[in-house]
Amino acid sequence: DGMNVLFIVVDDLRPVLGCYGDKLVKSPNIDQLASQSMVFSNAYAQQALCAPSRVSFLTGRRPDTTRLYDFYSYWRVHAGNYSTMPQYFKENGYVTLSVGKVFHPGISSNYSDDYPYSWSIPPFHPSAEKHENEKTCRGKDGKLHANLVCPVNVTEMPGGTLPDIQSTEEAIHLLNVMKTTRQKFFLAVGYHKPHIPLRYPQEFLKLYPLENITLAPDPWVPKKLPSVAYNPWMDIRQRDDVEALNVSFPYGPLPDDFQRQIRQSYYAAVSYLDVQVGLLLSALDDAGLSNNTIVVFTADHGWSLGEHGEWAKYSNFDVATRVPLMFYVPGMTTSPVSQGARVFPYLDPFSHIGGSVPQGQSKKVVELVSLFPTLAELAGLQVPPACPEMSFGVVLCTEGRSIAHYFNISEGKVEQGKEGCDGTERCFNEEPVALSQYPRPADTPQWNSDKPRLKDIRIMGYSMRAIDYRYTLWVQFDPSNFSADFKNVHAGELYMMDNDPNQDYNIYNSTSHGWFI
């Protein structure tokens, strides 16, 4: 009665995966999951920053409703006592468990990952987490540094391990416990990599010879990019290896060879992550739980790898906001599994050749804020109601919309049957859009442009992504009352996807855009 949920959320993972068409990456285990899943190729986060994005999709509310654009407030105190997705499952009879980075740790989840509201037992954090930013990277001089690019010998690490390895071990342990208790569970597993520093077992570098690594297709700052839109990647500049390059602020490019090393290490970190996911899904098989567990795989946002001359997230571009999103639902995305049959045999990225094709793929534009209602519907729970316009006093509602109806109807039918409406009287001819936003302290790049504190926010960039364009307005913002003034536009961006898929040519000033309002 009711399916379990395994919710995998990754930190800073853009869709560089075989199942998303990347030809270079080795990601056989995630690709195998995709081959049994409904895969969304146009899924977007609500803000390209860890804490705001996670609080948004875990509560089903947008950043303007959680009032979190930085790391320094707890929504229950600061905005409203909103229920979370794991809390809702807990209140509906599930044992809810958190491993690794699910909520962003710190004030934004009340220093407790929102326990005991969201979780049945205190969340698990790997002990190796505390060494993430320490000097553990051996440089060419033989000394240890706090580098951005950081392949390591795991046996030399503090405790002889890395955080994501520990998280996988704990998650497997919990799966085995839940198998014996026979209680329904909602297990969230949060992986750190490929978040910086790019610290991963050094053997993964072998998968990506440097001569195979190219630069971004558009490694320059676009000519018509408004300066407010640019992120100056301050956190990268503070790493020892980048600091040594003495790159000029804010637009000075990184040397080409170092750009290639970052891109190489990002890919290596993704393959390391793929191994962790493969071990976890294989354990789901071993526990006999693959035939009654929904698996969701996504990321909190993307990451720039040199596109537009930018690194890190902190922007409204697709490279920062677009995420992988897939749902494995036994009996829906794949035929029911006979007891004992393996759905997810572990695949070694060092020897596995060939990719798997996704079971179902939707090009519809979707948002992470829709995760909560979608998972509720897939698990057979009542879907939380849509939030009213002002919902600060409403405990349970969602600003997302369930995307479960995209699973049942082939996309061809959706495209042709434009007159058809689903049970909620929502018509399919509404072209879906994804809304993202990013705050800035000023019109030009500052030392705190990437991560301004609430009190320093003066401008908010609101971005709308439809299937064929991205439209962004940078407007005056008052942090004292969380209000945006759309009559006071500082800058605008408009990119047409058909002829500018990388969003390099801003045509905002040469276009009449009254039709957007």
Side-chain angles (χ1 to χ4, degrees), residues 153-301:
N153 179 338
V154 176
T155 60
E156 292 176 0
M157 291 299 99
T161 189
L162 291 170
D164 287 346
I165 294 170
Q166 289 182 293
S167 290
T168 302
E169 289 165 352
E170 177 65 13
I172 291 171
H173 164 70
L174 290 173
L175 285 177
N176 291 325
V177 169
M178 295 317 297
K179 170 179 122 179
T180 56
T181 63
R182 296 176 174 261
Q183 286 175 285
K184 284 187 301 188
F185 64 83
F186 178 107
L187 169 59
V189 182
Y191 285 115
H192 279 270
K193 293 304 120 187
H195 192 289
I196 64 170
L198 298 168
R199 187 168 75 124
Y200 55 86
Q202 60 199 16
E203 57 269 24
F204 286 91
L205 271 179
K206 292 184 200 135
L207 294 172
Y208 303 102
L210 207 48
E211 58 268 23
N212 294 352
I213 307 295
T214 58
L215 298 180
D218 51 351
W220 64 87
V221 179
K223 281 195 179 69
K224 294 191 174 173
L225 181 72
S227 55
V228 68
Y230 182 78
N231 89 70
W233 33 280
M234 283 301 293
D235 55 355
I236 287 194
R237 293 171 191 275
Q238 289 155 18
R239 307 283 163 173
D240 292 357
D241 49 355
V242 179
E243 203 172 15
L245 298 169
N246 211 12
V247 179
S248 64
F249 180 90
Y251 298 115
L254 290 170
D256 286 2
D257 62 335
F258 194 74
Q259 291 193 37
R260 285 194 178 87
Q261 283 177 44
I262 297 175
R263 289 168 66 92
Q264 175 193 37
S265 273
Y266 188 90
Y267 273 83
V270 170
S271 291
Y272 160 57
L273 162 77
D274 183 77
V275 164
Q276 304 311 312
V277 172
L279 294 169
L280 177 60
L281 292 175
S282 178
L284 190 73
D285 266 354
D286 292 342
L289 295 166
S290 301
N291 58 349
N292 64 342
T293 301
I294 295 166
V295 181
V296 185
F297 179 90
T298 193
D300 55 357
H301 44 69

Side-chain angles (χ1 to χ4, degrees), residues 76-88:
R76 292 186 192 273
V77 174
H78 174 72
N81 187 25
Y82 313 142
S83 289
T84 69
M85 176 164 54
Q87 179 181 356
Y88 189 59

